Amino acid sequence: MALMVPESISSSASQGEQILYKILREKLPDDFLVWYKQVVESNSIDFLIIAPNFGLLIIQVITWYPSQINGTDINKIKLFNSPEKNKKIELKKSPSYLDIPGRRTRKRSIEINEEEDTFSVWTNPYQELIDKLLVKLQKYHILTHLNGDNQQKLAFPCNYGLFFSNITAEQAQEKKIDKLLSLSQIIYRNELFYNQSISSDELVNRLIKIFTNTFSFPRLTHEQIDTIKAIIFPEIAIKLVPASLHSVPNGIELKNESYVFKTLDHRQECIVRSIGDGHRIIYGVAGSGKTLILLSHAKLLVQQNRHQKILILCFNRSLAAYLKSLMYEYSNQYNSTSKIEVFTFYAWVSSLIKKIPTPSGFTTEYYDGILGEILLKQLENALIKHKYDAVLVDEGQTFDPIWFKCCVAALKDPEHGNLMIVADGRQSVYKRNNFTWNSVGVKAVGRTSNKKLKLDKNYRNTQEILAASWSLFSNVIDEENLTFDIVKPTDAVRRGVNPILHIETSEIYEVESVINEVKDLAKLGYPLNDIAILYRIADDQKKVLLKSLIKKLQNLGIETDWVSENRESEKKYNIKNSGIKIINTLGALGLEFKVVLILWVQDWEFSIPPHSESDILTCRRLYVAMTRAQDILYIFGSGNSKLLQQLQYSGNFTVKQA
């Protein structure tokens, strides 16, 4: 069974589309990917098919009836009253005249039946579309013939076909539309409507015949398929990374400076495309791809309307800088001119209000409320041209309740505008008062997405890292979270090695142990950008130790990037900044790294089991730190710490003791 995007078809689709959707879904093998009703290069495409041993094929469903066809020409069909409103058409009307002997006089005030006189000319746009795709796909070495005489040419076939769902082969001959394309590129009503018992092999062979340039080629790799997907659907692209030997088929030599795209997987893409308009709240576990889904939703909105004004908000500066760098990279890659702004809430306030009160003398909760009130008044009086078509909030559990009122007020249409909030109640690392969505103006009834979107699956961490992180909550007293759902992870999709717990005799020796592990990681070839050293807080004594750590690493030729050194360094965070990232836990919320080394774990000490709100917050913050690791997690601790003992005897770590 093929993987379909979307996973179901609307009952309002034409009969021909419904039948073809069903046949493709049920008869194609499970390594086939099929997209229905998506936009490609500004063209609405009915079906786009990709498979490793197949290639890329576009099929457009044509719903005309024989009686509508008035004539054919090369790549053109003249139609009476065409229902194909979404095709490229050129409307022409014959002028109507009064029948006066000896002269022709145009009618002025007499009503005419325009429907009878209206016809359209359909011009085939799909060859031009295929040509555009070929040019884009051939720019990536990974998708071209890397060896032999056909270098720089696409390494797999790419073409299009038409399915006339209301016209038989005999009627096509009568109307001469069978000359429009080669015979194999056109599928008629009688071929599929009366042959729904077609086998999988028969269907694949019939579709292969649509390729007029078919040839044998090595099976496409997962990385090649992802790259094709990203080029055609840039809204699901995550990032461009250097290709590896696994990126090309066996026996194919990899060219220098070859790159591949990482994309959303099928499940995540279906989620993005299923998100409707209006107010939407999405809950999910750490590592379920909430941030990626939010960014892809923003890109999809741009694809649908390049004039939209979009605001992306989050809490911490390093995450805002990360999101901004991703959107900047996307805009450059695809020449997007859409207005997408990325701010922390505090930076958003500063951009709109010149004089704001200083936080000194206030608690954080009280100060956040003051800022929200000030901004809300400003937004309520703002002109609509200064507002947004869409507001997207990442890590919503970090927001003060009144901030959501500001998000609603910032919309051009507060009632029905596009407001998307993604959150994880388990990562509520700041003290916030409970509230109801209705109290802050968010229309959440029937619009919260949890089980429906199945964001209980962890994509970021290995099963071993997830098990170690989630075990922190085994003794946590049940919490009542009235606002943000807590989703329990059901599974991590990858296996790996156990996290390693280093038990040292002092905090200084913890630093030395970190240096030794980093040296080994560098020898193993891990890119420095993919490594992060996390800590909870840095008082004056810890800052001295961190500076010593940085100096010793630099003396070894290992570059570092102290992201959390100060506010300015946090604002400058970028995915392309070189060096090992050194960052505090709160600054790391929303980020991820292949390797994470957590320094001074005893600083997260909390009562076991945690009873107080403070202990639960601390537990959550350590959970956030641990779940930043994609592949490898090291934890370093020392001293007489009950937390360290709990980790040591949990059975989730490989323990190395000094």
Side-chain angles (χ1 to χ4, degrees):
M1 183 177 287
L3 292 176
M4 309 295 290
V5 181
E7 294 179 303
S8 62
I9 186 169
S10 170
S11 58
S12 63
S14 72
Q15 184 187 27
E17 290 170 352
Q18 291 187 45
I19 287 177
L20 187 54
Y21 183 98
K22 181 180 179 182
I23 290 174
L24 295 177
R25 180 186 63 195
E26 295 179 359
K27 302 295 183 179
L28 287 177
D30 57 12
D31 60 352
F32 274 68
L33 296 167
V34 181
W35 287 262
Y36 167 68
K37 284 295 183 189
Q38 302 301 328
V39 175
V40 178
E41 296 291 325
S42 302
N43 290 271
S44 177
I45 297 303
D46 291 335
F47 292 93
L48 188 144
I49 305 170
I50 301 175
N53 283 334
F54 179 77
L56 187 156
L57 180 65
I58 289 172
I59 300 180
Q60 204 68 7
V61 179
I62 309 296
T63 59
W64 310 323
Y65 290 90
S67 59
Q68 289 179 254
I69 299 172
N70 186 45
T72 61
D73 197 353
I74 299 175
N75 283 336
K76 291 183 181 180
I77 299 179
K78 189 176 180 181
L79 303 167
F80 287 120
N81 309 318
S82 171
E84 295 283 288
K85 295 179 181 178
N86 291 327
K87 307 297 180 192
K88 270 181 148 185
I89 61 173
E90 174 188 336
L91 293 178
K92 300 179 181 178
K93 280 197 247 176
S94 302
S96 187
Y97 297 93
L98 291 172
D99 188 16
I100 300 177
R103 64 189 179 122
R104 296 202 302 170
T105 304
R106 191 183 299 271
K107 292 182 182 178
R108 297 293 182 187
S109 59
I110 300 175
E111 289 188 10
I112 63 171
N113 188 344
E114 290 188 353
E115 190 175 7
E116 290 181 357
D117 294 323
T118 301
F119 64 85
S120 62
V121 176
W122 178 83
T123 303
N124 182 3
Y126 303 111
Q127 186 57 56
E128 181 182 350
L129 171 60
I130 291 295
D131 291 341
K132 284 183 179 178
L133 288 180
L134 286 172
V135 170
K136 285 195 169 185
L137 293 166
Q138 287 170 348
K139 289 181 180 179
Y140 293 84
H141 295 317
I142 204 74
L143 302 179
T144 62
H145 289 280
L146 301 179
N147 304 325
D149 298 330
N150 292 319
Q151 291 186 45
Q152 305 307 315
K153 291 184 179 179
L154 210 58
F156 55 91
C158 179
N159 213 335
Y160 74 98
L162 303 178
F163 171 36
F164 286 90
S165 60
N166 294 317
I167 298 176
T168 65
E170 293 75 15
Q171 291 166 333
Q173 287 182 339
E174 181 184 335
K175 294 292 184 176
K176 298 181 180 179
I177 63 173
D178 58 324
K179 308 297 182 186
L180 192 66
L181 297 172
S182 68
L183 291 177
S184 62
Q185 280 184 271
I186 303 178
I187 300 173
Y188 297 107
R189 175 185 175 88
N190 48 320
E191 189 174 354
L192 281 186
F193 272 61
Y194 306 127
N195 193 21
Q196 293 187 45
S197 61
I198 187 171
S199 71
S200 176
D201 289 342
E202 288 171 337
L203 177 60
V204 172
N205 289 333
R206 175 61 185 93
L207 296 179
I208 287 175
K209 288 180 181 178
I210 295 177
F211 294 112
T212 55
N213 60 337
T214 187
F215 52 87
S216 61
F217 59 96
R219 180 183 174 87
L220 297 172
T221 66
H222 178 76
E223 288 86 351
Q224 287 175 310
I225 294 288
D226 272 358
T227 303
I228 297 168
K229 286 164 54 180
I231 294 167
I232 297 173
F233 302 114
E235 61 270 20
I236 66 169
I238 297 174
K239 59 183 176 181
L240 193 64
V241 298
S244 69
L245 293 176
H246 300 292
S247 302
V248 294
N250 290 335
I252 301 296
E253 183 180 348
L254 182 67
K255 277 193 172 183
N256 292 333
E257 298 185 1
S258 292
Y259 292 87
V260 293
F261 273 103
K262 290 187 177 295
T263 68
L264 300 183
D265 69 8
H266 173 258
R267 185 188 194 192
Q268 292 169 321
E269 182 181 357
C270 286
I271 290 171
V272 169
R273 299 195 187 280
S274 70
I275 298 169
D277 296 327
H279 299 189
R280 300 287 169 182
I281 303 169
I282 296 176
Y283 300 118
V285 300
S288 58
K290 299 184 300 297
T291 297
L292 296 178
I293 287 169
L294 179 142
L295 291 174
S296 291
H297 182 58
K299 295 173 189 175
L300 189 58
L301 291 174
V302 171
Q303 293 289 321
Q304 293 168 349
N305 181 357
R306 294 186 177 273
H307 301 292
Q308 288 200 75
K309 188 178 178 185
I310 300 171
L311 173 66
I312 298 176
L313 290 173
C314 63
F315 184 83
N316 62 303
R317 287 182 290 269
S318 50
L319 178 57
Y322 170 70
L323 297 177
K324 190 177 293 185
S325 65
L326 286 177
M327 294 311 299
Y328 178 78
E329 192 174 68
Y330 167 77
S331 298
N332 282 349
Q333 188 83 30
Y334 298 103
N335 299 316
S336 171
T337 57
S338 184
K339 183 71 171 176
I340 300 179
E341 298 176 0
V342 182
F343 288 112
T344 65
F345 185 84
Y346 298 130
W348 186 33
V349 174
S350 298
S351 72
L352 295 175
I353 300 170
K354 291 182 179 179
K355 291 184 179 180
I356 57 175
T358 59
S360 58
F362 299 110
T363 65
T364 300
E365 293 77 23
Y366 187 73
Y367 181 69
D368 287 346
I370 290 174
L371 289 186
E373 293 285 359
I374 293 171
L375 180 59
L376 187 59
K377 285 185 180 179
Q378 176 88 0
L379 292 169
E380 287 174 343
N381 296 320
L383 297 174
I384 195 167
K385 68 178 181 179
H386 296 142
K387 296 190 176 186
Y388 298 89
D389 298 285
V391 177
L392 315 181
V393 178
D394 196 13
E395 304 293 355
Q397 74 277 356
T398 60
F399 272 40
D400 187 272
I402 196 171
W403 294 3
F404 293 111
K405 287 187 177 181
C406 297
C407 294
V408 174
L411 289 167
K412 292 178 181 177
D413 182 353
E415 284 288 318
H416 307 290
N418 199 316
L419 173 64
M420 179 177 172
I421 300 166
V422 299
D424 174 13
R426 192 62 83 184
Q427 296 186 76
S428 297
V429 294
Y430 297 95
K431 183 180 178 182
R432 298 298 187 198
N433 294 323
N434 277 317
F435 62 96
T436 63
W437 288 115
N438 187 55
S439 70
V440 295
V442 177
K443 311 297 182 184
V445 177
R447 295 179 176 181
T448 58
S449 301
N450 179 351
K451 293 180 181 178
K452 178 183 175 184
L453 299 184
K454 298 179 181 177
L455 286 177
D456 53 354
K457 192 174 289 289
N458 181 295
Y459 291 84
R460 177 192 300 146
N461 315 124
T462 62
Q463 291 181 22
E464 290 77 8
I465 291 172
L466 182 62
S469 305
W470 192 252
S471 68
L472 293 173
F473 293 104
S474 59
N475 294 316
V476 173
I477 293 175
D478 289 339
E479 309 164 59
E480 281 192 9
N481 195 315
L482 301 179
T483 307
F484 298 101
D485 282 4
I486 293 176
V487 185
K488 292 184 178 181
T490 57
D491 193 17
V493 299
R494 298 182 297 116
R495 295 299 303 264
V497 297
N498 279 341
I500 296 176
L501 178 65
H502 285 263
I503 301 177
E504 303 296 338
T505 56
S506 69
E507 291 182 342
I508 294 176
Y509 281 109
E510 287 182 59
V511 171
E512 294 300 322
S513 188
V514 166
I515 292 171
N516 290 331
E517 290 291 1
V518 168
K519 284 163 59 179
D520 290 342
L521 289 166
K523 288 178 183 177
L524 291 172
Y526 279 91
L528 299 184
N529 280 13
D530 290 335
I531 303 173
I533 299 171
L534 304 186
Y535 58 93
R536 185 184 178 189
I537 52 175
D539 55 18
D540 290 341
Q541 183 180 353
K542 290 280 170 55
K543 284 180 180 178
V544 171
L545 290 175
L546 286 172
K547 288 177 181 178
S548 172
L549 168 68
I550 291 169
K551 185 175 181 180
K552 288 179 178 180
L553 288 175
Q554 290 177 341
N555 288 341
L556 293 169
I558 298 173
E559 196 171 358
T560 60
D561 177 15
W562 191 358
V563 177
S564 298
E565 183 177 11
N566 51 51
R567 289 187 177 186
E568 290 306 311
S569 59
E570 287 180 332
K571 291 178 182 178
K572 292 177 182 177
Y573 178 76
N574 189 295
I575 55 174
K576 292 187 176 180
N577 288 354
S578 58
I580 292 175
K581 304 297 177 283
I582 301 174
I583 185 167
N584 65 39
T585 306
L586 296 180
L589 182 64
L591 306 180
E592 61 185 23
F593 307 91
K594 286 191 180 299
V595 183
V596 167
L597 303 95
I598 297 177
L599 194 52
W600 307 313
V601 72
Q602 61 274 9
D603 287 351
W604 277 271
E605 187 76 18
F606 53 85
S607 298
I608 302 172
H611 291 274
S612 68
E613 183 179 47
S614 175
D615 284 342
I616 291 172
L617 279 176
T618 303
C619 180
R620 287 175 181 166
R621 290 173 180 178
L622 180 55
Y623 171 74
V624 167
M626 293 171 68
T627 54
R628 300 310 95 195
Q630 294 173 303
D631 298 334
I632 297 176
L633 173 64
Y634 296 96
I635 294 182
F636 301 81
S638 61
N640 186 22
S641 163
K642 290 183 179 179
L643 171 61
L644 192 57
Q645 292 175 15
Q646 183 194 9
L647 296 176
Q648 180 179 2
Y649 298 115
S650 68
N652 293 306
F653 294 86
T654 298
V655 179
K656 294 185 177 180
Q657 193 159 4

